Amino acid sequence: MGAKAKKALKKNMKKISASAAASSSQLAVPQNPKPSADFLPLGGGPARKAPVTKPVESKATVLYIGRLPHGFYETEIEAFFTQFGTVKRVRVARNKKTGKSKHFGFIQFEDPEVAEIAAGAMNDYLLLEHMLQVRVIPPEHVKPNLWKGFKCQYKPVDWVQIERKQHNKERTLEEHRKMLHKVVKRDQKRRKRIEAAGIQYQCPELVGNTQPLPKKIKFSED
């Protein structure tokens, strides 16, 4: 092979290597890359991209607290939950007659994030042998009258004192006769129930004075 033939072969080899490099670069980087698809429609058609949804920020600040133990009331709840953040309002459900706790209540924080953290930390928390049930209440489920009168200090009714006054009050002769008539009528009903049940029992007779004591008589001035 002469010198001219060697030069021509080298030129051809350079051209082939340059064309191969250009073709590989075109395959590696396409001119119009298509975006990756998340799913294909069942009915056919081009691939689609899933819509990007932003996380919804929670605005709930009210918590429901269930299974409250005895002695854990408004003051104790506010002092305990203050470790999470600022507490706005606290309310414990109570009986209207006795004022005793119904063992559930509600608490409101200023910050929704604090409410979420408190609910997650205190749910199924063992407190005074009671497993607390704490969950966030959505704003649309909070009733308008939930916080009505939550600052009122409920004073339970002393029914023992009321019954004592009713029993020891001064009565007229007519009121005393009515009271005795009720006692006799109640005793007769009890005897009939015992007989209807087939129980052989001799009830003791009522013993007492049909006239009221002088210190319990209220005479009219007329």
Side-chain angles (χ1 to χ4, degrees):
M1 181 180 292
K4 292 184 178 180
K6 289 181 179 180
K7 289 182 179 179
L9 182 61
K10 288 181 180 180
K11 288 183 179 179
N12 291 333
M13 293 295 294
K14 288 181 179 179
K15 288 181 181 180
I16 292 171
S17 61
S19 62
S23 62
S24 63
S25 64
Q26 288 179 359
L27 292 173
V29 182
Q31 296 180 358
N32 297 322
K34 295 182 180 180
S36 61
D38 291 333
F39 65 94
L40 295 173
L42 296 176
R48 298 181 183 179
K49 191 75 175 178
V52 179
T53 57
K54 296 182 179 180
V56 180
E57 295 182 359
S58 176
K59 297 182 180 179
T61 58
V62 181
L63 300 182
Y64 164 83
I65 309 175
R67 294 184 57 80
L68 291 174
H70 176 68
F72 197 68
Y73 302 140
E74 291 88 351
T75 306
E76 292 78 11
I77 292 173
E78 184 175 1
F80 186 83
F81 279 87
T82 306
Q83 61 181 316
F84 295 101
T86 305
V87 178
K88 291 181 66 177
R89 294 179 287 193
V90 179
R91 180 172 187 176
V92 175
R94 294 181 177 274
N95 188 290
K96 293 182 179 180
K97 290 185 177 181
T98 62
K100 294 183 179 180
S101 171
K102 293 183 178 180
H103 302 286
F104 72 92
F106 305 92
I107 184 172
Q108 185 179 20
F109 291 93
E110 286 188 354
D111 192 356
E113 295 182 359
V114 175
E116 290 283 350
I117 294 172
M122 296 305 300
N123 189 32
D124 293 337
Y125 183 82
L126 184 62
L127 179 67
L128 300 176
E129 299 182 359
H130 282 247
M131 195 77 73
L132 296 182
Q133 301 296 322
V134 184
R135 62 175 180 268
V136 180
I137 303 178
E140 59 271 14
H141 293 166
V142 178
K143 296 182 179 180
N145 58 348
L146 176 63
W147 304 108
K148 184 178 179 181
F150 74 99
K151 288 186 178 180
C152 297
Q153 296 294 330
Y154 187 84
K155 185 178 179 181
V157 180
D158 191 355
W159 294 103
V160 176
Q161 184 68 17
I162 293 174
E163 290 294 332
R164 185 183 295 114
K165 289 182 179 180
Q166 180 71 17
H167 183 269
N168 296 334
K169 73 173 185 179
E170 295 182 355
R171 296 180 176 86
T172 61
L173 291 173
E174 185 63 27
E175 289 176 347
H176 188 75
R177 292 192 186 95
K178 287 182 179 179
M179 184 184 68
L180 293 177
H181 178 70
K182 290 181 180 179
V183 172
V184 174
K185 190 174 180 180
R186 194 182 305 117
D187 182 70
Q188 291 176 354
K189 288 183 178 180
R190 182 169 60 251
R191 292 171 184 267
K192 289 181 180 179
R193 287 198 301 268
I194 293 173
E195 291 178 0
I199 301 174
Q200 296 180 358
Y201 176 74
Q202 187 177 1
C203 297
E205 298 293 335
L206 294 175
V207 179
N209 190 6
T210 57
Q211 296 295 329
L213 297 176
K215 62 180 181 180
K216 295 297 181 182
I217 302 175
K218 181 173 61 177
F219 296 99
S220 60
E221 296 180 358
D222 298 340

